[in-house]
PDB file of all heavy atoms in Angstrom:
ATOM      1  N   ASP A   6       0.801  -1.215   0.002  1.00 97.00           N
ATOM      2  CA  ASP A   6       0.010   0.015   0.003  1.00 97.00           C
ATOM      3  C   ASP A   6       0.839   1.261  -0.005  1.00 97.00           C
ATOM      4  O   ASP A   6       2.002   1.295   0.378  1.00 97.00           O
ATOM      5  CB  ASP A   6      -0.997   0.016   1.162  1.00 97.00           C
ATOM      6  CG  ASP A   6      -0.340  -0.296   2.501  1.00 97.00           C
ATOM      7  OD1 ASP A   6       0.894  -0.242   2.601  1.00 97.00           O
ATOM      8  OD2 ASP A   6      -1.077  -0.583   3.437  1.00 97.00           O
ATOM      9  N   HIS A   7       0.172   2.337  -0.449  1.00 97.00           N
ATOM     10  CA  HIS A   7       0.794   3.662  -0.609  1.00 97.00           C
ATOM     11  C   HIS A   7       0.490   4.485   0.640  1.00 97.00           C
ATOM     12  O   HIS A   7      -0.684   4.778   0.926  1.00 97.00           O
ATOM     13  CB  HIS A   7       0.212   4.324  -1.861  1.00 97.00           C
ATOM     14  CG  HIS A   7       0.861   5.633  -2.205  1.00 97.00           C
ATOM     15  ND1 HIS A   7       0.317   6.499  -3.104  1.00 97.00           N
ATOM     16  CD2 HIS A   7       1.978   6.238  -1.723  1.00 97.00           C
ATOM     17  CE1 HIS A   7       1.078   7.583  -3.213  1.00 97.00           C
ATOM     18  NE2 HIS A   7       2.083   7.446  -2.381  1.00 97.00           N
ATOM     19  N   ASN A   8       1.523   4.874   1.382  1.00 95.00           N
ATOM     20  CA  ASN A   8       1.345   5.578   2.642  1.00 95.00           C
ATOM     21  C   ASN A   8       1.759   7.050   2.540  1.00 95.00           C
ATOM     22  O   ASN A   8       2.757   7.367   1.879  1.00 95.00           O
ATOM     23  CB  ASN A   8       2.195   4.923   3.736  1.00 95.00           C
ATOM     24  CG  ASN A   8       1.808   3.497   3.987  1.00 95.00           C
ATOM     25  OD1 ASN A   8       0.856   3.210   4.708  1.00 95.00           O
ATOM     26  ND2 ASN A   8       2.504   2.561   3.355  1.00 95.00           N
ATOM     27  N   GLU A   9       1.002   7.908   3.208  1.00 93.00           N
ATOM     28  CA  GLU A   9       1.345   9.312   3.328  1.00 93.00           C
ATOM     29  C   GLU A   9       1.219   9.678   4.810  1.00 93.00           C
ATOM     30  O   GLU A   9       0.148   9.531   5.392  1.00 93.00           O
ATOM     31  CB  GLU A   9       0.432  10.190   2.491  1.00 93.00           C
ATOM     32  CG  GLU A   9       0.605   9.970   0.992  1.00 93.00           C
ATOM     33  CD  GLU A   9      -0.313  10.871   0.186  1.00 93.00           C
ATOM     34  OE1 GLU A   9      -1.560  10.687   0.303  1.00 93.00           O
ATOM     35  OE2 GLU A   9       0.196  11.745  -0.531  1.00 93.00           O
ATOM     36  N   LYS A  10       2.308  10.143   5.398  1.00 91.00           N
ATOM     37  CA  LYS A  10       2.310  10.458   6.816  1.00 91.00           C
ATOM     38  C   LYS A  10       2.752  11.911   7.030  1.00 91.00           C
ATOM     39  O   LYS A  10       3.753  12.356   6.469  1.00 91.00           O
ATOM     40  CB  LYS A  10       3.235   9.534   7.608  1.00 91.00           C
ATOM     41  CG  LYS A  10       2.758   8.090   7.654  1.00 91.00           C
ATOM     42  CD  LYS A  10       3.640   7.253   8.537  1.00 91.00           C
ATOM     43  CE  LYS A  10       3.132   5.805   8.630  1.00 91.00           C
ATOM     44  NZ  LYS A  10       1.833   5.692   9.310  1.00 91.00           N
ATOM     45  N   TYR A  11       2.006  12.642   7.868  1.00 92.00           N
ATOM     46  CA  TYR A  11       2.313  14.034   8.211  1.00 92.00           C
ATOM     47  C   TYR A  11       2.646  14.129   9.694  1.00 92.00           C
ATOM     48  O   TYR A  11       2.081  13.406  10.528  1.00 92.00           O
ATOM     49  CB  TYR A  11       1.107  14.940   7.921  1.00 92.00           C
ATOM     50  CG  TYR A  11       0.754  15.066   6.448  1.00 92.00           C
ATOM     51  CD1 TYR A  11      -0.096  14.169   5.827  1.00 92.00           C
ATOM     52  CD2 TYR A  11       1.274  16.109   5.680  1.00 92.00           C
ATOM     53  CE1 TYR A  11      -0.427  14.289   4.486  1.00 92.00           C
ATOM     54  CE2 TYR A  11       0.939  16.257   4.346  1.00 92.00           C
ATOM     55  CZ  TYR A  11       0.093  15.343   3.749  1.00 92.00           C
ATOM     56  OH  TYR A  11      -0.222  15.485   2.428  1.00 92.00           O
ATOM     57  N   THR A  12       3.570  15.027  10.049  1.00 92.00           N
ATOM     58  CA  THR A  12       3.817  15.397  11.423  1.00 92.00           C
ATOM     59  C   THR A  12       3.531  16.884  11.555  1.00 92.00           C
ATOM     60  O   THR A  12       3.652  17.651  10.593  1.00 92.00           O
ATOM     61  CB  THR A  12       5.226  15.101  11.875  1.00 92.00           C
ATOM     62  OG1 THR A  12       6.166  15.810  11.052  1.00 92.00           O
ATOM     63  CG2 THR A  12       5.539  13.612  11.777  1.00 92.00           C
ATOM     64  N   TYR A  13       3.103  17.298  12.769  1.00 92.00           N
ATOM     65  CA  TYR A  13       2.675  18.660  12.995  1.00 92.00           C
ATOM     66  C   TYR A  13       3.452  19.279  14.184  1.00 92.00           C
ATOM     67  O   TYR A  13       3.873  18.570  15.074  1.00 92.00           O
ATOM     68  CB  TYR A  13       1.174  18.695  13.295  1.00 92.00           C
ATOM     69  CG  TYR A  13       0.325  18.225  12.180  1.00 92.00           C
ATOM     70  CD1 TYR A  13       0.039  16.851  12.029  1.00 92.00           C
ATOM     71  CD2 TYR A  13      -0.218  19.097  11.238  1.00 92.00           C
ATOM     72  CE1 TYR A  13      -0.751  16.397  11.001  1.00 92.00           C
ATOM     73  CE2 TYR A  13      -1.022  18.640  10.189  1.00 92.00           C
ATOM     74  CZ  TYR A  13      -1.271  17.288  10.087  1.00 92.00           C
ATOM     75  OH  TYR A  13      -2.063  16.810   9.062  1.00 92.00           O
ATOM     76  N   LYS A  14       3.598  20.570  14.143  1.00 92.00           N
ATOM     77  CA  LYS A  14       4.201  21.319  15.242  1.00 92.00           C
ATOM     78  C   LYS A  14       3.159  21.506  16.370  1.00 92.00           C
ATOM     79  O   LYS A  14       1.979  21.247  16.170  1.00 92.00           O
ATOM     80  CB  LYS A  14       4.703  22.679  14.750  1.00 92.00           C
ATOM     81  CG  LYS A  14       5.764  22.588  13.645  1.00 92.00           C
ATOM     82  CD  LYS A  14       6.163  23.974  13.180  1.00 92.00           C
ATOM     83  CE  LYS A  14       7.184  23.895  12.056  1.00 92.00           C
ATOM     84  NZ  LYS A  14       7.565  25.262  11.545  1.00 92.00           N
ATOM     85  N   THR A  15       3.636  21.991  17.501  1.00 92.00           N
ATOM     86  CA  THR A  15       2.748  22.194  18.636  1.00 92.00           C
ATOM     87  C   THR A  15       1.660  23.240  18.330  1.00 92.00           C
ATOM     88  O   THR A  15       0.571  23.210  18.908  1.00 92.00           O
ATOM     89  CB  THR A  15       3.533  22.641  19.869  1.00 92.00           C
ATOM     90  OG1 THR A  15       4.312  23.782  19.545  1.00 92.00           O
ATOM     91  CG2 THR A  15       4.469  21.509  20.338  1.00 92.00           C
ATOM     92  N   ASN A  16       1.946  24.165  17.411  1.00 91.00           N
ATOM     93  CA  ASN A  16       0.936  25.181  17.057  1.00 91.00           C
ATOM     94  C   ASN A  16      -0.013  24.700  15.953  1.00 91.00           C
ATOM     95  O   ASN A  16      -0.885  25.449  15.515  1.00 91.00           O
ATOM     96  CB  ASN A  16       1.618  26.476  16.615  1.00 91.00           C
ATOM     97  CG  ASN A  16       2.463  26.284  15.335  1.00 91.00           C
ATOM     98  OD1 ASN A  16       2.523  25.205  14.783  1.00 91.00           O
ATOM     99  ND2 ASN A  16       3.116  27.351  14.925  1.00 91.00           N
ATOM    100  N   GLY A  17       0.154  23.442  15.490  1.00 88.00           N
ATOM    101  CA  GLY A  17      -0.732  22.881  14.496  1.00 88.00           C
ATOM    102  C   GLY A  17      -0.243  23.015  13.071  1.00 88.00           C
ATOM    103  O   GLY A  17      -0.875  22.470  12.156  1.00 88.00           O
ATOM    104  N   ASP A  18       0.870  23.738  12.841  1.00 93.00           N
ATOM    105  CA  ASP A  18       1.408  23.867  11.486  1.00 93.00           C
ATOM    106  C   ASP A  18       2.052  22.571  11.024  1.00 93.00           C
ATOM    107  O   ASP A  18       2.538  21.782  11.836  1.00 93.00           O
ATOM    108  CB  ASP A  18       2.431  24.992  11.439  1.00 93.00           C
ATOM    109  CG  ASP A  18       1.814  26.364  11.620  1.00 93.00           C
ATOM    110  OD1 ASP A  18       0.601  26.486  11.443  1.00 93.00           O
ATOM    111  OD2 ASP A  18       2.570  27.316  11.957  1.00 93.00           O
ATOM    112  N   LEU A  19       2.055  22.369   9.711  1.00 94.00           N
ATOM    113  CA  LEU A  19       2.719  21.184   9.157  1.00 94.00           C
ATOM    114  C   LEU A  19       4.208  21.199   9.411  1.00 94.00           C
ATOM    115  O   LEU A  19       4.848  22.255   9.296  1.00 94.00           O
ATOM    116  CB  LEU A  19       2.447  21.094   7.652  1.00 94.00           C
ATOM    117  CG  LEU A  19       1.034  20.651   7.252  1.00 94.00           C
ATOM    118  CD1 LEU A  19       0.822  20.895   5.767  1.00 94.00           C
ATOM    119  CD2 LEU A  19       0.815  19.193   7.574  1.00 94.00           C
ATOM    120  N   ASN A  20       4.746  20.044   9.751  1.00 95.00           N
ATOM    121  CA  ASN A  20       6.180  19.938  10.024  1.00 95.00           C
ATOM    122  C   ASN A  20       6.896  19.156   8.914  1.00 95.00           C
ATOM    123  O   ASN A  20       7.637  19.713   8.125  1.00 95.00           O
ATOM    124  CB  ASN A  20       6.415  19.256  11.368  1.00 95.00           C
ATOM    125  CG  ASN A  20       7.886  19.170  11.747  1.00 95.00           C
ATOM    126  OD1 ASN A  20       8.705  19.939  11.237  1.00 95.00           O
ATOM    127  ND2 ASN A  20       8.210  18.252  12.615  1.00 95.00           N
ATOM    128  N   LYS A  21       6.600  17.831   8.830  1.00 95.00           N
ATOM    129  CA  LYS A  21       7.240  17.014   7.819  1.00 95.00           C
ATOM    130  C   LYS A  21       6.236  16.046   7.204  1.00 95.00           C
ATOM    131  O   LYS A  21       5.182  15.766   7.761  1.00 95.00           O
ATOM    132  CB  LYS A  21       8.414  16.217   8.422  1.00 95.00           C
ATOM    133  CG  LYS A  21       9.559  17.116   8.853  1.00 95.00           C
ATOM    134  CD  LYS A  21      10.779  16.326   9.271  1.00 95.00           C
ATOM    135  CE  LYS A  21      11.936  17.233   9.656  1.00 95.00           C
ATOM    136  NZ  LYS A  21      13.170  16.492   9.990  1.00 95.00           N
ATOM    137  N   TYR A  22       6.601  15.571   5.985  1.00 96.00           N
ATOM    138  CA  TYR A  22       5.712  14.730   5.195  1.00 96.00           C
ATOM    139  C   TYR A  22       6.507  13.578   4.607  1.00 96.00           C
ATOM    140  O   TYR A  22       7.593  13.767   4.056  1.00 96.00           O
ATOM    141  CB  TYR A  22       5.074  15.556   4.097  1.00 96.00           C
ATOM    142  CG  TYR A  22       4.413  14.766   2.991  1.00 96.00           C
ATOM    143  CD1 TYR A  22       3.217  14.083   3.205  1.00 96.00           C
ATOM    144  CD2 TYR A  22       5.003  14.708   1.723  1.00 96.00           C
ATOM    145  CE1 TYR A  22       2.616  13.380   2.178  1.00 96.00           C
ATOM    146  CE2 TYR A  22       4.387  13.997   0.683  1.00 96.00           C
ATOM    147  CZ  TYR A  22       3.202  13.323   0.937  1.00 96.00           C
ATOM    148  OH  TYR A  22       2.609  12.634  -0.064  1.00 96.00           O
ATOM    149  N   ALA A  23       5.966  12.348   4.746  1.00 96.00           N
ATOM    150  CA  ALA A  23       6.600  11.149   4.167  1.00 96.00           C
ATOM    151  C   ALA A  23       5.646  10.496   3.177  1.00 96.00           C
ATOM    152  O   ALA A  23       4.429  10.402   3.429  1.00 96.00           O
ATOM    153  CB  ALA A  23       6.965  10.173   5.264  1.00 96.00           C
ATOM    154  N   ASN A  24       6.183  10.017   2.076  1.00 95.00           N
ATOM    155  CA  ASN A  24       5.403   9.365   1.009  1.00 95.00           C
ATOM    156  C   ASN A  24       6.167   8.119   0.586  1.00 95.00           C
ATOM    157  O   ASN A  24       7.258   8.189   0.056  1.00 95.00           O
ATOM    158  CB  ASN A  24       5.249  10.336  -0.163  1.00 95.00           C
ATOM    159  CG  ASN A  24       4.333   9.789  -1.255  1.00 95.00           C
ATOM    160  OD1 ASN A  24       4.183   8.601  -1.420  1.00 95.00           O
ATOM    161  ND2 ASN A  24       3.729  10.702  -2.014  1.00 95.00           N
ATOM    162  N   TYR A  25       5.569   6.924   0.846  1.00 96.00           N
ATOM    163  CA  TYR A  25       6.282   5.682   0.549  1.00 96.00           C
ATOM    164  C   TYR A  25       5.336   4.515   0.410  1.00 96.00           C
ATOM    165  O   TYR A  25       4.181   4.573   0.815  1.00 96.00           O
ATOM    166  CB  TYR A  25       7.296   5.375   1.657  1.00 96.00           C
ATOM    167  CG  TYR A  25       6.647   5.121   3.008  1.00 96.00           C
ATOM    168  CD1 TYR A  25       6.355   3.820   3.419  1.00 96.00           C
ATOM    169  CD2 TYR A  25       6.344   6.179   3.867  1.00 96.00           C
ATOM    170  CE1 TYR A  25       5.767   3.569   4.649  1.00 96.00           C
ATOM    171  CE2 TYR A  25       5.755   5.942   5.095  1.00 96.00           C
ATOM    172  CZ  TYR A  25       5.477   4.651   5.486  1.00 96.00           C
ATOM    173  OH  TYR A  25       4.855   4.396   6.698  1.00 96.00           O
ATOM    174  N   TRP A  26       5.832   3.430  -0.216  1.00 97.00           N
ATOM    175  CA  TRP A  26       5.099   2.177  -0.343  1.00 97.00           C
ATOM    176  C   TRP A  26       5.601   1.200   0.701  1.00 97.00           C
ATOM    177  O   TRP A  26       6.790   1.140   1.000  1.00 97.00           O
ATOM    178  CB  TRP A  26       5.274   1.581  -1.730  1.00 97.00           C
ATOM    179  CG  TRP A  26       4.509   2.302  -2.793  1.00 97.00           C
ATOM    180  CD1 TRP A  26       4.901   3.418  -3.475  1.00 97.00           C
ATOM    181  CD2 TRP A  26       3.226   1.976  -3.290  1.00 97.00           C
ATOM    182  NE1 TRP A  26       3.944   3.816  -4.385  1.00 97.00           N
ATOM    183  CE2 TRP A  26       2.884   2.924  -4.288  1.00 97.00           C
ATOM    184  CE3 TRP A  26       2.300   0.979  -2.992  1.00 97.00           C
ATOM    185  CZ2 TRP A  26       1.682   2.905  -4.978  1.00 97.00           C
ATOM    186  CZ3 TRP A  26       1.089   0.940  -3.675  1.00 97.00           C
ATOM    187  CH2 TRP A  26       0.792   1.902  -4.660  1.00 97.00           C
ATOM    188  N   GLY A  27       4.683   0.399   1.267  1.00 96.00           N
ATOM    189  CA  GLY A  27       5.070  -0.564   2.287  1.00 96.00           C
ATOM    190  C   GLY A  27       4.204  -1.819   2.239  1.00 96.00           C
ATOM    191  O   GLY A  27       3.114  -1.843   1.653  1.00 96.00           O
ATOM    192  N   LEU A  28       4.711  -2.889   2.835  1.00 98.00           N
ATOM    193  CA  LEU A  28       4.030  -4.168   2.857  1.00 98.00           C
ATOM    194  C   LEU A  28       3.227  -4.346   4.159  1.00 98.00           C
ATOM    195  O   LEU A  28       3.596  -3.824   5.207  1.00 98.00           O
ATOM    196  CB  LEU A  28       5.016  -5.310   2.737  1.00 98.00           C
ATOM    197  CG  LEU A  28       5.722  -5.518   1.404  1.00 98.00           C
ATOM    198  CD1 LEU A  28       6.777  -6.612   1.516  1.00 98.00           C
ATOM    199  CD2 LEU A  28       4.715  -5.885   0.308  1.00 98.00           C
ATOM    200  N   ARG A  29       2.159  -5.126   4.061  1.00 98.00           N
ATOM    201  CA  ARG A  29       1.427  -5.584   5.234  1.00 98.00           C
ATOM    202  C   ARG A  29       1.052  -7.053   5.020  1.00 98.00           C
ATOM    203  O   ARG A  29       0.800  -7.467   3.900  1.00 98.00           O
ATOM    204  CB  ARG A  29       0.148  -4.755   5.470  1.00 98.00           C
ATOM    205  CG  ARG A  29       0.408  -3.385   6.022  1.00 98.00           C
ATOM    206  CD  ARG A  29      -0.910  -2.684   6.383  1.00 98.00           C
ATOM    207  NE  ARG A  29      -1.716  -2.420   5.197  1.00 98.00           N
ATOM    208  CZ  ARG A  29      -3.028  -2.141   5.241  1.00 98.00           C
ATOM    209  NH1 ARG A  29      -3.664  -2.155   6.372  1.00 98.00           N
ATOM    210  NH2 ARG A  29      -3.678  -1.882   4.108  1.00 98.00           N
ATOM    211  N   HIS A  30       1.028  -7.812   6.102  1.00 98.00           N
ATOM    212  CA  HIS A  30       0.621  -9.215   6.077  1.00 98.00           C
ATOM    213  C   HIS A  30      -0.664  -9.324   6.891  1.00 98.00           C
ATOM    214  O   HIS A  30      -0.747  -8.793   8.004  1.00 98.00           O
ATOM    215  CB  HIS A  30       1.686 -10.137   6.679  1.00 98.00           C
ATOM    216  CG  HIS A  30       3.027 -10.013   6.016  1.00 98.00           C
ATOM    217  ND1 HIS A  30       3.337 -10.692   4.848  1.00 98.00           N
ATOM    218  CD2 HIS A  30       4.115  -9.274   6.341  1.00 98.00           C
ATOM    219  CE1 HIS A  30       4.592 -10.375   4.503  1.00 98.00           C
ATOM    220  NE2 HIS A  30       5.070  -9.518   5.378  1.00 98.00           N
ATOM    221  N   ARG A  31      -1.676 -10.040   6.341  1.00 98.00           N
ATOM    222  CA  ARG A  31      -2.957 -10.116   7.017  1.00 98.00           C
ATOM    223  C   ARG A  31      -3.476 -11.566   7.035  1.00 98.00           C
ATOM    224  O   ARG A  31      -3.488 -12.245   6.019  1.00 98.00           O
ATOM    225  CB  ARG A  31      -3.981  -9.236   6.336  1.00 98.00           C
ATOM    226  CG  ARG A  31      -5.404  -9.313   6.903  1.00 98.00           C
ATOM    227  CD  ARG A  31      -6.300  -8.258   6.287  1.00 98.00           C
ATOM    228  NE  ARG A  31      -5.914  -6.926   6.747  1.00 98.00           N
ATOM    229  CZ  ARG A  31      -6.366  -5.795   6.225  1.00 98.00           C
ATOM    230  NH1 ARG A  31      -7.231  -5.827   5.223  1.00 98.00           N
ATOM    231  NH2 ARG A  31      -5.983  -4.624   6.715  1.00 98.00           N
ATOM    232  N   LEU A  32      -3.911 -11.996   8.212  1.00 98.00           N
ATOM    233  CA  LEU A  32      -4.566 -13.290   8.403  1.00 98.00           C
ATOM    234  C   LEU A  32      -6.003 -13.054   8.849  1.00 98.00           C
ATOM    235  O   LEU A  32      -6.269 -12.096   9.584  1.00 98.00           O
ATOM    236  CB  LEU A  32      -3.842 -14.131   9.464  1.00 98.00           C
ATOM    237  CG  LEU A  32      -2.420 -14.574   9.142  1.00 98.00           C
ATOM    238  CD1 LEU A  32      -1.783 -15.184  10.415  1.00 98.00           C
ATOM    239  CD2 LEU A  32      -2.429 -15.616   8.026  1.00 98.00           C
ATOM    240  N   HIS A  33      -6.913 -13.929   8.434  1.00 98.00           N
ATOM    241  CA  HIS A  33      -8.272 -13.811   8.927  1.00 98.00           C
ATOM    242  C   HIS A  33      -8.906 -15.203   9.119  1.00 98.00           C
ATOM    243  O   HIS A  33      -8.566 -16.167   8.420  1.00 98.00           O
ATOM    244  CB  HIS A  33      -9.130 -12.965   8.007  1.00 98.00           C
ATOM    245  CG  HIS A  33      -9.538 -13.647   6.731  1.00 98.00           C
ATOM    246  ND1 HIS A  33      -8.928 -13.415   5.506  1.00 98.00           N
ATOM    247  CD2 HIS A  33     -10.540 -14.566   6.474  1.00 98.00           C
ATOM    248  CE1 HIS A  33      -9.512 -14.165   4.585  1.00 98.00           C
ATOM    249  NE2 HIS A  33     -10.476 -14.870   5.139  1.00 98.00           N
ATOM    250  N   PHE A  34      -9.817 -15.241  10.080  1.00 98.00           N
ATOM    251  CA  PHE A  34     -10.654 -16.414  10.337  1.00 98.00           C
ATOM    252  C   PHE A  34     -12.085 -15.918  10.525  1.00 98.00           C
ATOM    253  O   PHE A  34     -12.295 -14.890  11.172  1.00 98.00           O
ATOM    254  CB  PHE A  34     -10.194 -17.154  11.593  1.00 98.00           C
ATOM    255  CG  PHE A  34      -8.803 -17.695  11.511  1.00 98.00           C
ATOM    256  CD1 PHE A  34      -7.729 -16.932  11.962  1.00 98.00           C
ATOM    257  CD2 PHE A  34      -8.539 -18.946  10.984  1.00 98.00           C
ATOM    258  CE1 PHE A  34      -6.436 -17.416  11.907  1.00 98.00           C
ATOM    259  CE2 PHE A  34      -7.260 -19.424  10.897  1.00 98.00           C
ATOM    260  CZ  PHE A  34      -6.178 -18.662  11.340  1.00 98.00           C
ATOM    261  N   ASP A  35     -13.055 -16.622   9.934  1.00 98.00           N
ATOM    262  CA  ASP A  35     -14.415 -16.159  10.055  1.00 98.00           C
ATOM    263  C   ASP A  35     -15.413 -17.300  10.147  1.00 98.00           C
ATOM    264  O   ASP A  35     -15.130 -18.433   9.770  1.00 98.00           O
ATOM    265  CB  ASP A  35     -14.768 -15.202   8.896  1.00 98.00           C
ATOM    266  CG  ASP A  35     -14.555 -15.823   7.519  1.00 98.00           C
ATOM    267  OD1 ASP A  35     -15.162 -16.867   7.249  1.00 98.00           O
ATOM    268  OD2 ASP A  35     -13.789 -15.238   6.747  1.00 98.00           O
ATOM    269  N   VAL A  36     -16.583 -16.956  10.650  1.00 98.00           N
ATOM    270  CA  VAL A  36     -17.712 -17.896  10.715  1.00 98.00           C
ATOM    271  C   VAL A  36     -18.948 -17.138  10.199  1.00 98.00           C
ATOM    272  O   VAL A  36     -19.153 -15.976  10.522  1.00 98.00           O
ATOM    273  CB  VAL A  36     -17.934 -18.404  12.152  1.00 98.00           C
ATOM    274  CG1 VAL A  36     -18.129 -17.263  13.152  1.00 98.00           C
ATOM    275  CG2 VAL A  36     -19.126 -19.343  12.207  1.00 98.00           C
ATOM    276  N   THR A  37     -19.699 -17.803   9.330  1.00 98.00           N
ATOM    277  CA  THR A  37     -20.886 -17.162   8.720  1.00 98.00           C
ATOM    278  C   THR A  37     -22.101 -18.058   8.933  1.00 98.00           C
ATOM    279  O   THR A  37     -22.083 -19.258   8.638  1.00 98.00           O
ATOM    280  CB  THR A  37     -20.672 -16.981   7.197  1.00 98.00           C
ATOM    281  OG1 THR A  37     -19.485 -16.225   6.978  1.00 98.00           O
ATOM    282  CG2 THR A  37     -21.858 -16.279   6.566  1.00 98.00           C
ATOM    283  N   GLY A  38     -23.151 -17.426   9.429  1.00 98.00           N
ATOM    284  CA  GLY A  38     -24.441 -18.101   9.583  1.00 98.00           C
ATOM    285  C   GLY A  38     -25.457 -17.446   8.668  1.00 98.00           C
ATOM    286  O   GLY A  38     -25.414 -16.215   8.462  1.00 98.00           O
ATOM    287  N   ASN A  39     -26.361 -18.216   8.076  1.00 97.00           N
ATOM    288  CA  ASN A  39     -27.332 -17.630   7.150  1.00 97.00           C
ATOM    289  C   ASN A  39     -28.672 -18.335   7.254  1.00 97.00           C
ATOM    290  O   ASN A  39     -28.777 -19.491   7.657  1.00 97.00           O
ATOM    291  CB  ASN A  39     -26.810 -17.679   5.706  1.00 97.00           C
ATOM    292  CG  ASN A  39     -26.787 -19.088   5.147  1.00 97.00           C
ATOM    293  OD1 ASN A  39     -27.772 -19.529   4.546  1.00 97.00           O
ATOM    294  ND2 ASN A  39     -25.665 -19.793   5.331  1.00 97.00           N
ATOM    295  N   LEU A  40     -29.720 -17.555   6.900  1.00 97.00           N
ATOM    296  CA  LEU A  40     -31.075 -18.057   6.874  1.00 97.00           C
ATOM    297  C   LEU A  40     -31.728 -17.713   5.559  1.00 97.00           C
ATOM    298  O   LEU A  40     -31.479 -16.620   4.993  1.00 97.00           O
ATOM    299  CB  LEU A  40     -31.894 -17.423   7.994  1.00 97.00           C
ATOM    300  CG  LEU A  40     -31.512 -17.810   9.456  1.00 97.00           C
ATOM    301  CD1 LEU A  40     -32.304 -16.966  10.424  1.00 97.00           C
ATOM    302  CD2 LEU A  40     -31.740 -19.280   9.706  1.00 97.00           C
ATOM    303  N   ASN A  41     -32.538 -18.596   5.019  1.00 95.00           N
ATOM    304  CA  ASN A  41     -33.253 -18.355   3.752  1.00 95.00           C
ATOM    305  C   ASN A  41     -34.731 -18.125   4.034  1.00 95.00           C
ATOM    306  O   ASN A  41     -35.350 -18.813   4.841  1.00 95.00           O
ATOM    307  CB  ASN A  41     -33.098 -19.556   2.824  1.00 95.00           C
ATOM    308  CG  ASN A  41     -31.674 -19.702   2.302  1.00 95.00           C
ATOM    309  OD1 ASN A  41     -31.032 -18.714   1.966  1.00 95.00           O
ATOM    310  ND2 ASN A  41     -31.191 -20.938   2.244  1.00 95.00           N
TER     311      ASN A  41
END
């Protein structure tokens, strides 16, 4: 995914900005119940 991160000063003004691509790993388990 494409990430954009901002940091701010104590007065609320913009400080620094980062723009980069990074990896994430995701696992999932689910249960589904249904009625007709």
